[in-house]
Amino acid sequence: MSSSDGSGSNQAGASQRAVGNGRLRILQVSGSAAGGVRAHLADCARMLATDGHDVIIEAPAAVLDGLEVAPARAEALEIGPRPSLNDTLAVARLRRLGRRAHAVHAHGLRAGALAALALGRRRHGRTRLVVTLHNLTVGGRLTTMVGERLERLIASRADLVLAVSPDLAQRARDLGAPRVELAVIPVAIPQPPSEPPLPAPAAPEAWPQEGARVLTVARLAPQKGLPLLLDAAAVLAQEVEAGSLPAFTWAVAGDGPGRDQAAERIAAEHLPVTLLGRRADAPALMEAADVVVQTSLWEGQPLTIQEALRAGAAIVATDVGGTAVTARGGAVLVAPEAQTVAEAVAVLLSDSEARSRARQSARDAADRLPGPADLAAQLRQVVLAPH
């Protein structure tokens, strides 16, 4: 795959970047995205379009399906999770669209790398490139090696890198990115549902009538540390048997590829863990829980922690990625180790005063969470910046 600077069209392209009355043309580009990344993509597009700019989202059809982005526009551009022959077509399209844009704001390594190839090296008059890094590359040696090469490409060509966690920001700096900032991820902006929501059981029905209530809300995927959760539950179950801890049930709201393996282990070891599947009432579950636990092995700025803070929950979370940035002092942060997680949960389950203090800390931190206005201010500063 190669990239052309397209220097012969600089003047023509620059003349088309303003679309009248101060409006700028902005491309928002994404590859495969779900959850918080998908929501952030939509937030960025809507905010800039609401400011009066011509905003076009280029993303896979599956990402755009049901995504509310008005008054922005959206066009399907297939950028898969792995390199493919479609990448050449994507680069060509981004090059053509990018020449007529004031800025390209790409989300994620794959989209950022393809946009970097399309726009070429940094130079005066080139379309501005901003890349938001949402995830740490995890996997085998080949996967991490490819991920680092994409990071290097982005660092060498992006005008600005926004990172969702301090560790991603430091990686970008180490790779030579000239300007790096921490991305603003605001509390979720409520959007009207496209279809009436299905009724969900009342939150208390997630647990038995007796015993303490522990809750995790997460996709059942490797990054979320489900084996660590089950290890911690096993440690706590031993304390219950020893009489040093009250009985509890650990409910897990979410679905994903790890469900079957987790269910087999729960049954084999008789763990006090209940898999609820996907739920539409996460905030109500959090309010009803005695302790909300996150056992992730890495996170950017997790929306579930934001939700737990707003619910005023007593929170225990692994201190990974950008979790501390998100929690803002409102959670008990621990190392991603089963014994350490279990000890922190046990303290909150056995001490009502500690739980009350943790709940108050969460409510106080919720008041300090960034909001839509903070994201809008960052976008105006970094995406709309002059060349």
Side-chain angles (χ1 to χ4, degrees), residues 265-281:
R265 181 177 171 188
I266 291 167
E269 300 181 21
H270 305 288
L271 298 177
V273 177
T274 300
L275 301 179
L276 303 178
R278 186 176 299 177
R279 299 276 296 213
D281 57 345

Side-chain angles (χ1 to χ4, degrees), residues 186-189 215-218 253 279-287 292 294 301-315 326-327 362-363 366 369:
V187 293
I189 304 171
L215 173 70
T216 292
V217 179
R279 299 276 296 213
D281 57 345
L285 289 170
M286 290 175 174
E287 291 179 3
V292 172
Q294 173 186 285
Q301 293 181 42
L303 299 182
T304 53
I305 293 295
Q306 290 186 349
E307 291 179 338
L309 294 173
R310 297 173 74 188
I315 306 167
T326 305
R363 288 189 287 267
L369 287 172

Side-chain angles (χ1 to χ4, degrees), residues 4-374:
S4 169
D5 284 350
S7 57
S9 62
N10 281 354
Q11 292 181 345
S15 67
Q16 298 177 56
R17 290 169 186 159
V19 291
N21 298 322
R23 296 176 68 217
L24 299 174
R25 183 169 287 115
I26 311 294
L27 295 186
Q28 293 280 336
V29 185
S30 177
S32 301
V37 178
R38 184 171 179 265
H40 188 68
L41 169 70
D43 288 346
C44 292
R46 280 195 304 267
M47 286 180 175
L48 290 170
T50 299
D51 274 355
H53 301 292
D54 181 24
V55 180
I56 306 172
I57 296 180
E58 297 287 326
V63 173
L64 299 178
D65 185 28
L67 193 65
E68 298 293 333
V69 300
R73 297 181 284 150
E75 300 174 348
L77 176 64
E78 296 307 318
I79 299 175
R82 288 172 293 278
S84 73
L85 294 177
N86 285 338
D87 288 352
T88 301
L89 299 176
V91 169
R93 180 162 164 178
L94 292 175
R95 181 182 299 128
R96 174 174 57 83
L97 294 174
R99 287 172 179 167
R100 295 179 290 168
H102 169 82
V104 174
H105 182 189
H107 297 260
L109 271 180
R110 290 273 294 133
L114 295 182
L117 288 171
L119 297 180
R121 299 187 182 280
R122 288 189 297 267
R123 67 188 185 284
H124 179 71
R126 189 208 66 175
T127 298
R128 182 173 178 78
L129 175 60
V130 177
V131 179
T132 298
L133 298 179
H134 288 273
N135 286 292
L136 178 70
T137 301
V138 294
R141 182 178 178 183
L142 179 60
T143 299
T144 55
M145 183 177 67
V146 171
E148 182 173 335
R149 292 188 67 178
L150 297 183
E151 286 179 289
R152 287 185 181 278
L153 174 63
I154 291 168
S156 69
R157 299 194 178 187
D159 298 281
L160 170 70
V161 172
L162 296 173
V164 298
S165 64
D167 57 330
L168 287 183
Q170 189 58 51
R171 285 175 65 90
R173 293 187 188 98
D174 292 343
L175 292 172
R179 184 180 172 195
V180 182
E181 293 185 11
L182 198 64
V184 173
I185 307 295
V187 293
I189 304 171
Q191 296 297 318
S194 55
E195 298 179 0
L198 296 175
E205 294 181 10
W207 294 276
Q209 293 294 321
E210 302 295 329
R213 299 168 175 175
V214 181
L215 173 70
T216 292
V217 179
R219 174 169 163 75
L220 306 188
Q223 177 185 315
K224 303 301 180 179
L226 190 56
L228 172 60
L229 183 156
L230 298 179
D231 289 345
V235 172
L236 291 170
Q238 292 176 355
E239 295 192 27
V240 173
E241 291 182 6
S244 58
L245 189 70
F248 70 94
T249 298
W250 195 326
V252 181
D255 209 345
R259 181 184 177 90
D260 291 345
Q261 186 175 3
E264 291 176 3
R265 181 177 171 188
I266 291 167
E269 300 181 21
H270 305 288
L271 298 177
V273 177
T274 300
L275 301 179
L276 303 178
R278 186 176 299 177
R279 299 276 296 213
D281 57 345
L285 289 170
M286 290 175 174
E287 291 179 3
D290 293 300
V291 184
V292 172
V293 186
Q294 173 186 285
T295 59
S296 298
L297 305 181
W298 188 85
E299 287 285 355
Q301 293 181 42
L303 299 182
T304 53
I305 293 295
Q306 290 186 349
E307 291 179 338
L309 294 173
R310 297 173 74 188
I315 306 167
V316 173
T318 47
D319 190 5
V320 294
T323 299
V325 171
T326 305
R328 296 170 183 261
V332 178
L333 300 180
V334 298
E337 302 167 353
Q339 187 66 41
T340 307
V341 172
E343 289 173 358
V345 173
V347 168
L348 293 177
L349 289 182
S350 58
D351 187 339
S352 60
E353 291 187 2
R355 271 200 316 278
S356 295
R357 290 193 298 270
R359 289 182 181 277
Q360 186 58 53
S361 294
R363 288 189 287 267
D364 292 342
D367 292 337
R368 299 191 294 271
L369 287 172
D374 298 296

